[in-house]
Coordinates of all heavy atoms in Angstrom, one line a residue:
M6 N 14.4 15.3 -21.5 CA 15.3 14.4 -20.9 C 16.6 15.1 -20.6 O 17.3 14.7 -19.7 CB 15.6 13.1 -21.7 CG 14.5 12.3 -22.1 SD 13.0 12.2 -21.1 CE 11.9 11.8 -22.3
G7 N 16.9 16.1 -21.3 CA 18.1 16.9 -21.1 C 18.2 17.5 -19.8 O 19.3 17.6 -19.2
C8 N 17.1 18.0 -19.3 CA 17.0 18.6 -17.9 C 17.4 17.6 -16.9 O 18.0 18.0 -15.9 CB 15.6 19.2 -17.7 SG 15.1 20.6 -18.7
L9 N 16.8 16.4 -17.0 CA 17.2 15.4 -16.0 C 18.7 15.1 -16.0 O 19.3 14.9 -15.0 CB 16.4 14.1 -16.3 CG 14.9 14.2 -16.0 CD1 14.2 12.9 -16.5 CD2 14.6 14.4 -14.6
R10 N 19.2 14.9 -17.2 CA 20.6 14.6 -17.3 C 21.5 15.7 -16.7 O 22.4 15.5 -16.0 CB 21.0 14.4 -18.8 CG 22.3 13.8 -19.0 CD 22.6 13.5 -20.5 NE 21.5 12.8 -21.1 CZ 20.8 13.3 -22.2 NH1 21.1 14.4 -22.8 NH2 19.8 12.6 -22.7
R11 N 21.1 17.0 -17.0 CA 21.9 18.1 -16.5 C 21.7 18.2 -15.0 O 22.6 18.7 -14.3 CB 21.5 19.4 -17.1 CG 22.0 19.5 -18.6 CD 21.7 20.9 -19.2 NE 20.3 21.4 -19.2 CZ 19.5 21.1 -20.2 NH1 19.9 20.4 -21.2 NH2 18.2 21.6 -20.1
G12 N 20.6 17.8 -14.5 CA 20.4 17.8 -13.0 C 21.0 16.6 -12.3 O 20.8 16.5 -11.1
G13 N 21.6 15.7 -13.0 CA 22.2 14.5 -12.4 C 21.3 13.5 -12.0 O 21.6 12.6 -11.2
I14 N 20.1 13.4 -12.7 CA 19.1 12.4 -12.4 C 19.1 11.3 -13.4 O 18.8 11.6 -14.6 CB 17.7 13.1 -12.3 CG1 17.6 14.1 -11.2 CG2 16.6 12.0 -12.1 CD1 16.4 14.9 -11.1
P15 N 19.5 10.1 -13.0 CA 19.6 9.0 -14.0 C 18.3 8.4 -14.4 O 17.6 7.8 -13.6 CB 20.5 8.0 -13.3 CG 20.2 8.2 -11.8 CD 19.9 9.7 -11.7
L16 N 17.9 8.6 -15.6 CA 16.6 8.1 -16.2 C 16.8 6.8 -16.8 O 17.7 6.6 -17.7 CB 16.0 9.1 -17.2 CG 14.7 8.8 -17.7 CD1 13.6 8.9 -16.6 CD2 14.3 9.8 -18.8
E17 N 16.1 5.8 -16.3 CA 16.2 4.4 -16.8 C 15.4 4.2 -18.1 O 15.8 3.7 -19.1 CB 15.7 3.4 -15.8 CG 15.9 2.0 -16.1 CD 17.3 1.5 -16.1 OE1 18.1 2.1 -15.3 OE2 17.6 0.5 -16.8
S18 N 14.1 4.7 -18.1 CA 13.2 4.5 -19.2 C 12.0 5.4 -19.2 O 11.7 6.0 -18.1 CB 12.7 3.0 -19.3 OG 11.9 2.8 -18.2
V19 N 11.4 5.6 -20.3 CA 10.1 6.3 -20.5 C 9.2 5.4 -21.3 O 9.5 5.0 -22.3 CB 10.3 7.7 -21.2 CG1 9.0 8.4 -21.4 CG2 11.4 8.5 -20.5
N20 N 8.0 5.2 -20.7 CA 7.0 4.4 -21.4 C 5.7 5.1 -21.4 O 5.3 5.8 -20.5 CB 6.8 3.0 -20.5 CG 8.1 2.3 -20.4 OD1 8.7 1.9 -21.4 ND2 8.5 2.1 -19.2
S21 N 5.0 4.9 -22.5 CA 3.6 5.4 -22.6 C 2.7 4.5 -21.8 O 2.9 3.3 -21.8 CB 3.1 5.5 -24.0 OG 3.1 4.3 -24.6
E22 N 1.7 5.1 -21.1 CA 0.8 4.4 -20.3 C -0.5 4.2 -21.0 O -0.7 4.4 -22.2 CB 0.7 5.1 -18.9 CG 1.9 5.0 -18.1 CD 2.1 3.6 -17.5 OE1 1.1 2.9 -17.0 OE2 3.2 3.1 -17.5
Y23 N -1.5 3.9 -20.2 CA -2.8 3.5 -20.7 C -3.5 4.6 -21.5 O -4.2 4.3 -22.5 CB -3.7 3.1 -19.5 CG -5.1 2.7 -19.8 CD1 -5.3 1.5 -20.5 CD2 -6.2 3.5 -19.5 CE1 -6.6 1.1 -20.9 CE2 -7.5 3.1 -19.8 CZ -7.7 1.9 -20.5 OH -8.9 1.5 -20.9
D24 N -3.5 5.8 -21.1 CA -4.2 6.9 -21.8 C -3.2 8.0 -22.3 O -2.1 8.1 -21.8 CB -5.2 7.5 -20.8 CG -6.2 8.4 -21.5 OD1 -6.4 8.3 -22.7 OD2 -6.8 9.3 -20.8
T25 N -3.6 8.7 -23.4 CA -2.9 9.8 -23.9 C -3.1 11.0 -23.1 O -4.3 11.3 -22.8 CB -3.3 10.0 -25.4 OG1 -3.2 8.7 -26.1 CG2 -2.4 11.0 -26.1
P26 N -2.2 11.8 -22.8 CA -0.8 11.7 -22.9 C -0.2 11.3 -21.5 O 0.3 12.1 -20.8 CB -0.3 13.0 -23.3 CG -1.3 14.0 -22.7 CD -2.6 13.2 -22.5
Q27 N -0.3 10.1 -21.1 CA 0.2 9.6 -19.8 C 1.4 8.8 -20.0 O 1.5 7.9 -20.9 CB -0.9 8.7 -19.2 CG -0.5 8.3 -17.8 CD -1.7 7.5 -17.1 OE1 -2.7 7.3 -17.7 NE2 -1.4 7.1 -15.9
F28 N 2.5 9.1 -19.3 CA 3.8 8.5 -19.4 C 4.3 8.1 -18.1 O 4.0 8.7 -17.1 CB 4.8 9.4 -20.1 CG 4.4 9.8 -21.5 CD1 3.7 10.9 -21.8 CD2 4.8 8.9 -22.5 CE1 3.3 11.2 -23.1 CE2 4.5 9.2 -23.9 CZ 3.7 10.4 -24.1
E29 N 5.1 7.0 -18.1 CA 5.8 6.6 -16.9 C 7.3 6.9 -17.1 O 7.9 6.4 -18.1 CB 5.6 5.1 -16.7 CG 6.4 4.5 -15.6 CD 6.2 3.0 -15.4 OE1 6.9 2.3 -16.1 OE2 5.3 2.6 -14.7
F30 N 7.9 7.6 -16.1 CA 9.3 7.8 -16.2 C 9.9 7.0 -15.0 O 9.5 7.1 -13.9 CB 9.6 9.3 -15.9 CG 9.3 10.2 -17.0 CD1 8.0 10.5 -17.3 CD2 10.3 10.7 -17.8 CE1 7.7 11.4 -18.4 CE2 10.0 11.5 -18.9 CZ 8.7 11.9 -19.1
T31 N 10.9 6.1 -15.4 CA 11.5 5.3 -14.4 C 12.9 5.8 -14.1 O 13.7 5.9 -15.1 CB 11.5 3.8 -14.9 OG1 10.2 3.4 -15.2 CG2 12.1 2.9 -13.8
L32 N 13.2 6.1 -12.9 CA 14.6 6.5 -12.5 C 15.5 5.3 -12.3 O 15.0 4.3 -11.7 CB 14.5 7.4 -11.3 CG 13.6 8.7 -11.4 CD1 13.7 9.4 -10.0 CD2 14.1 9.5 -12.5
R33 N 16.7 5.5 -12.7 CA 17.7 4.4 -12.5 C 17.9 4.2 -11.0 O 17.9 5.1 -10.2 CB 19.0 4.7 -13.2 CG 20.0 3.6 -13.1 CD 21.2 3.8 -14.0 NE 20.7 3.9 -15.4 CZ 21.1 4.8 -16.3 NH1 21.9 5.7 -16.0 NH2 20.6 4.7 -17.5
Y34 N 18.2 3.0 -10.6 CA 18.5 2.6 -9.2 C 19.6 3.5 -8.7 O 20.6 3.7 -9.3 CB 18.9 1.1 -9.1 CG 19.3 0.7 -7.8 CD1 18.4 0.4 -6.8 CD2 20.7 0.7 -7.5 CE1 18.9 0.0 -5.5 CE2 21.1 0.3 -6.2 CZ 20.2 0.0 -5.2 OH 20.7 -0.4 -4.0
S35 N 19.5 3.9 -7.4 CA 20.5 4.6 -6.7 C 20.6 4.2 -5.3 O 19.6 3.5 -4.8 CB 20.4 6.1 -6.8 OG 19.2 6.5 -6.3
D36 N 21.6 4.6 -4.6 CA 21.7 4.1 -3.2 C 20.6 4.7 -2.3 O 20.0 5.8 -2.6 CB 23.1 4.4 -2.6 CG 23.4 5.9 -2.5 OD1 22.8 6.6 -1.6 OD2 24.1 6.5 -3.4
A37 N 20.4 4.1 -1.2 CA 19.3 4.5 -0.3 C 19.3 5.9 0.3 O 18.3 6.5 0.5 CB 19.2 3.5 0.8
L38 N 20.5 6.4 0.4 CA 20.7 7.7 1.0 C 20.4 8.8 -0.1 O 20.0 9.9 0.3 CB 22.0 7.9 1.6 CG 22.3 7.0 2.8 CD1 23.8 7.3 3.3 CD2 21.4 7.3 3.9
R39 N 20.7 8.5 -1.3 CA 20.5 9.5 -2.3 C 19.1 9.5 -3.0 O 18.7 10.5 -3.5 CB 21.6 9.3 -3.5 CG 21.6 10.3 -4.5 CD 22.7 10.2 -5.4 NE 22.6 11.3 -6.4 CZ 22.7 11.1 -7.7 NH1 23.0 9.9 -8.2 NH2 22.5 12.0 -8.6
R40 N 18.5 8.4 -2.9 CA 17.2 8.1 -3.6 C 16.1 9.1 -3.2 O 15.4 9.7 -4.1 CB 16.7 6.7 -3.3 CG 15.5 6.3 -4.0 CD 15.7 6.4 -5.5 NE 14.5 5.9 -6.2 CZ 14.3 5.9 -7.4 NH1 15.2 6.3 -8.2 NH2 13.2 5.5 -7.9
P41 N 15.8 9.4 -1.9 CA 14.8 10.4 -1.6 C 15.0 11.8 -2.2 O 14.1 12.4 -2.7 CB 14.8 10.4 -0.1 CG 15.4 9.1 0.3 CD 16.4 8.8 -0.7
T42 N 16.3 12.2 -2.2 CA 16.6 13.5 -2.7 C 16.4 13.5 -4.3 O 15.8 14.4 -4.8 CB 18.0 13.9 -2.4 OG1 18.2 13.9 -1.0 CG2 18.4 15.3 -2.9
T43 N 16.8 12.5 -4.9 CA 16.7 12.4 -6.4 C 15.2 12.3 -6.8 O 14.8 13.0 -7.7 CB 17.4 11.1 -6.9 OG1 18.8 11.2 -6.6 CG2 17.2 10.9 -8.4
R44 N 14.4 11.6 -6.0 CA 13.0 11.5 -6.3 C 12.3 12.9 -6.2 O 11.5 13.3 -7.0 CB 12.3 10.4 -5.4 CG 10.9 10.3 -5.7 CD 10.3 9.1 -5.0 NE 9.0 8.8 -5.3 CZ 8.0 9.1 -4.4 NH1 8.2 9.5 -3.2 NH2 6.7 8.9 -4.8
S45 N 12.5 13.5 -5.1 CA 11.9 14.8 -4.8 C 12.4 15.9 -5.8 O 11.5 16.6 -6.4 CB 12.3 15.3 -3.4 OG 11.8 14.5 -2.4
F46 N 13.6 15.9 -6.1 CA 14.1 16.9 -7.1 C 13.6 16.6 -8.5 O 13.3 17.5 -9.2 CB 15.7 16.8 -7.2 CG 16.3 17.8 -8.1 CD1 16.1 19.2 -7.9 CD2 17.0 17.4 -9.2 CE1 16.7 20.1 -8.8 CE2 17.5 18.3 -10.1 CZ 17.4 19.6 -9.9
S47 N 13.4 15.3 -8.9 CA 12.9 15.0 -10.2 C 11.5 15.4 -10.3 O 11.1 15.9 -11.4 CB 13.1 13.5 -10.5 OG 12.3 12.7 -9.6
K48 N 10.7 15.3 -9.3 CA 9.3 15.8 -9.3 C 9.2 17.3 -9.5 O 8.4 17.8 -10.3 CB 8.6 15.3 -8.1 CG 8.2 13.9 -8.0 CD 7.4 13.6 -6.8 CE 6.6 12.3 -7.0 NZ 5.6 12.1 -5.8
V49 N 10.0 18.0 -8.7 CA 10.0 19.5 -8.8 C 10.5 19.9 -10.2 O 9.9 20.7 -10.9 CB 10.9 20.1 -7.8 CG1 11.2 21.6 -8.0 CG2 10.4 19.8 -6.4
L50 N 11.5 19.2 -10.7 CA 12.0 19.5 -12.1 C 11.0 19.3 -13.2 O 10.7 20.1 -14.0 CB 13.3 18.7 -12.4 CG 13.9 18.9 -13.7 CD1 14.4 20.4 -13.9 CD2 15.1 18.0 -13.9
A51 N 10.3 18.1 -13.1 CA 9.3 17.8 -14.0 C 8.1 18.8 -14.0 O 7.6 19.2 -15.1 CB 8.8 16.4 -13.8
R52 N 7.7 19.2 -12.8 CA 6.6 20.1 -12.7 C 7.0 21.5 -13.3 O 6.2 22.1 -14.0 CB 6.2 20.3 -11.3 CG 5.2 19.2 -10.8 CD 4.5 19.7 -9.6 NE 3.5 18.7 -9.2 CZ 3.6 17.9 -8.1 NH1 4.6 18.0 -7.3 NH2 2.7 17.0 -7.8
E53 N 8.2 21.9 -13.1 CA 8.7 23.2 -13.6 C 8.7 23.2 -15.1 O 8.4 24.1 -15.8 CB 10.0 23.6 -13.0 CG 9.9 23.9 -11.5 CD 9.1 25.2 -11.2 OE1 9.2 26.1 -12.0 OE2 8.4 25.2 -10.2
V54 N 9.2 22.1 -15.7 CA 9.3 22.0 -17.1 C 7.9 22.0 -17.7 O 7.6 22.7 -18.7 CB 10.1 20.7 -17.6 CG1 10.0 20.5 -19.1 CG2 11.6 20.9 -17.2
A55 N 7.0 21.2 -17.2 CA 5.7 21.1 -17.7 C 5.0 22.5 -17.6 O 4.3 22.9 -18.5 CB 4.9 20.1 -16.9
N56 N 5.1 23.1 -16.5 CA 4.6 24.5 -16.3 C 5.1 25.5 -17.3 O 4.3 26.2 -17.9 CB 4.8 25.0 -14.9 CG 4.1 26.2 -14.5 OD1 2.9 26.4 -14.9 ND2 4.7 27.2 -13.9
S57 N 6.4 25.4 -17.6 CA 6.9 26.3 -18.6 C 6.4 26.1 -20.0 O 6.4 26.9 -20.8 CB 8.5 26.2 -18.6 OG 8.9 25.0 -19.2
L58 N 5.9 24.8 -20.2 CA 5.3 24.5 -21.5 C 3.8 24.6 -21.5 O 3.1 24.3 -22.5 CB 5.7 23.1 -21.9 CG 7.2 22.8 -22.1 CD1 7.4 21.3 -22.2 CD2 7.7 23.5 -23.3
G59 N 3.2 25.1 -20.4 CA 1.8 25.3 -20.3 C 1.0 24.0 -20.1 O -0.2 23.9 -20.5
L60 N 1.6 23.0 -19.6 CA 1.0 21.7 -19.4 C 0.7 21.4 -17.9 O 1.3 22.0 -17.0 CB 2.0 20.6 -19.9 CG 2.4 20.7 -21.4 CD1 3.5 19.7 -21.7 CD2 1.2 20.5 -22.3
M61 N -0.3 20.5 -17.7 CA -0.6 20.1 -16.4 C 0.1 18.8 -16.1 O 0.1 17.9 -16.9 CB -2.1 19.8 -16.2 CG -2.5 19.3 -14.9 SD -4.3 18.9 -14.8 CE -4.3 17.3 -15.6
L62 N 0.8 18.7 -14.9 CA 1.5 17.5 -14.6 C 1.1 17.0 -13.2 O 0.9 17.8 -12.3 CB 3.0 17.7 -14.5 CG 3.9 16.6 -14.1 CD1 3.9 15.5 -15.2 CD2 5.2 17.0 -13.7
T63 N 0.7 15.7 -13.1 CA 0.4 15.1 -11.8 C 1.2 13.8 -11.7 O 1.7 13.4 -12.7 CB -1.1 14.8 -11.7 OG1 -1.4 13.7 -12.6 CG2 -2.0 15.9 -12.0
F64 N 1.2 13.3 -10.5 CA 1.9 12.1 -10.2 C 0.8 11.0 -9.7 O 1.1 10.1 -9.0 CB 3.0 12.3 -9.2 CG 4.1 13.1 -9.8 CD1 4.1 14.5 -9.5 CD2 5.1 12.6 -10.6 CE1 5.1 15.3 -10.0 CE2 6.1 13.3 -11.1 CZ 6.1 14.7 -10.8
M65 N -0.4 11.2 -10.2 CA -1.5 10.3 -9.9 C -1.7 9.3 -10.9 O -1.4 9.5 -12.1 CB -2.8 11.1 -9.7 CG -2.7 12.1 -8.6 SD -4.1 13.4 -8.6 CE -5.5 12.6 -9.3
G66 N -2.1 8.1 -10.5 CA -2.3 7.0 -11.5 C -3.4 7.4 -12.6 O -3.2 7.0 -13.8
K67 N -4.4 8.0 -12.2 CA -5.5 8.4 -13.2 C -6.1 9.7 -12.8 O -7.2 9.7 -12.1 CB -6.5 7.2 -13.3 CG -7.5 7.4 -14.4 CD -8.4 6.2 -14.5 CE -9.4 6.4 -15.6 NZ -10.3 5.3 -15.8
P68 N -5.5 10.8 -13.1 CA -6.0 12.1 -12.6 C -7.3 12.6 -13.2 O -8.0 13.3 -12.6 CB -4.9 13.0 -13.0 CG -4.2 12.4 -14.2 CD -4.3 10.9 -14.0
L69 N -7.7 12.1 -14.4 CA -9.0 12.5 -15.0 C -9.8 11.3 -15.2 O -9.6 10.4 -16.1 CB -8.7 13.2 -16.4 CG -7.7 14.3 -16.3 CD1 -7.3 14.8 -17.8 CD2 -8.3 15.5 -15.6
S70 N -10.9 11.2 -14.4 CA -11.7 10.0 -14.3 C -12.5 9.7 -15.6 O -12.9 8.6 -15.8 CB -12.6 10.0 -13.1 OG -13.5 11.1 -13.2
D71 N -12.7 10.7 -16.4 CA -13.5 10.5 -17.6 C -12.7 10.2 -18.8 O -13.1 10.1 -19.9 CB -14.4 11.8 -17.9 CG -13.4 13.0 -18.2 OD1 -12.3 13.1 -17.7 OD2 -13.9 13.9 -19.0
R72 N -11.4 10.0 -18.6 CA -10.5 9.6 -19.7 C -10.0 8.2 -19.6 O -9.9 7.6 -18.5 CB -9.3 10.5 -19.7 CG -9.6 12.0 -19.7 CD -9.7 12.5 -21.2 NE -10.1 13.9 -21.2 CZ -9.3 14.9 -21.2 NH1 -8.0 14.7 -21.3 NH2 -9.8 16.1 -21.3
G73 N -9.7 7.5 -20.7 CA -9.1 6.2 -20.7 C -10.0 5.1 -20.3 O -9.6 4.1 -19.8
V74 N -11.3 5.4 -20.5 CA -12.3 4.4 -20.1 C -12.5 3.4 -21.2 O -12.8 3.8 -22.4 CB -13.7 5.1 -19.7 CG1 -14.8 4.0 -19.4 CG2 -13.5 6.0 -18.6
Q75 N -12.4 2.1 -21.0 CA -12.6 1.1 -22.0 C -14.1 0.8 -22.2 O -14.8 0.8 -21.3 CB -11.9 -0.2 -21.7 CG -10.4 0.0 -21.8 CD -9.7 -1.4 -21.5 OE1 -10.3 -2.2 -20.8 NE2 -8.6 -1.6 -22.1
D76 N -14.5 0.7 -23.5 CA -15.9 0.4 -23.8 C -16.0 -1.2 -23.6 O -15.3 -1.9 -24.2 CB -16.2 0.7 -25.2 CG -17.6 0.5 -25.6 OD1 -18.4 0.2 -24.7 OD2 -18.0 0.7 -26.7
S77 N -16.9 -1.6 -22.7 CA -17.1 -3.0 -22.4 C -18.1 -3.7 -23.3 O -18.4 -4.9 -23.1 CB -17.5 -3.2 -20.9 OG -18.8 -2.5 -20.8
T78 N -18.6 -3.0 -24.3 CA -19.6 -3.6 -25.2 C -18.9 -4.3 -26.4 O -17.8 -4.2 -26.7 CB -20.5 -2.6 -25.8 OG1 -19.8 -1.6 -26.5 CG2 -21.4 -2.0 -24.7

């Protein structure tokens, strides 16, 4: 979160999602002219941090179809 703060990106919340390790990062509201730049920069920043840690990062709802499947029995 420190990288976002240093980059001037206001983070509203971080929530764990349906499957491990899936998280939702919510950016704080900003004006319409600044928002597209903030969103694009936050994605690049997040990918770079993940890459430096040897992690895969996507912005897809469910990138691995064989994970997070609920047993219906």
Side-chain angles (χ1 to χ4, degrees):
M6 303 329 153
C8 293
L9 291 172
R10 194 174 311 120
R11 288 191 300 273
I14 299 172
L16 187 63
E17 184 75 28
S18 65
V19 177
N20 302 301
S21 61
E22 287 289 317
Y23 181 67
D24 192 22
T25 306
Q27 185 175 358
F28 295 92
E29 175 183 85
F30 288 75
T31 305
L32 301 179
R33 186 171 295 136
Y34 172 82
S35 60
D36 65 76
L38 294 177
R39 185 170 179 228
R40 182 65 176 176
T42 302
T43 300
R44 182 172 181 250
S45 296
F46 181 65
S47 66
K48 283 184 160 188
V49 170
L50 180 63
R52 277 200 177 109
E53 290 296 321
V54 169
N56 188 44
S57 72
L58 297 171
L60 301 172
M61 178 184 76
L62 177 73
T63 70
F64 294 95
M65 297 167 32
K67 189 174 181 181
L69 305 171
S70 62
D71 64 333
R72 306 272 175 93
V74 178
Q75 289 182 332
D76 186 6
S77 60
T78 58

